[in-house]
Amino acid sequence: MADGCRDCRTCTKSLLGRTARGVLYAVTLSWLVKPVFLRNCPQCGHVMRRHERRGDGSFQD
């Protein structure tokens, strides 16, 4: 039996529907938040922490 009220579309949505909605929200949120909090490479767009660095801290080309 579903939790919540029996007349609400959100409460009576299937488990698959609720899971898909949660995944969609998580992906959208991460897509919107990533550029704000993580620095990206201007050349390739990947996160800067994934780039190889030399011992002195400069980037390896």
Side-chain angles (χ1 to χ4, degrees), residues 11-30:
C11 293
T12 58
K13 189 172 283 200
S14 70
L15 178 61
L16 182 62
R18 287 181 288 177
T19 304
R21 183 182 223 170
V23 169
L24 180 65
Y25 285 158
V27 168
T28 303
L29 183 64
S30 67

Side-chain angles (χ1 to χ4, degrees), residues 6-49:
R6 62 185 172 99
D7 298 324
C8 177
R9 273 195 334 205
T10 304
C11 293
T12 58
K13 189 172 283 200
S14 70
L15 178 61
L16 182 62
R18 287 181 288 177
T19 304
R21 183 182 223 170
V23 169
L24 180 65
Y25 285 158
V27 168
T28 303
L29 183 64
S30 67
W31 182 72
L32 292 173
V33 170
K34 180 184 170 193
V36 174
F37 293 108
L38 298 175
R39 292 180 52 204
N40 295 330
C41 175
Q43 190 172 20
C44 67
H46 294 129
V47 180
M48 293 294 280
R49 67 186 165 136

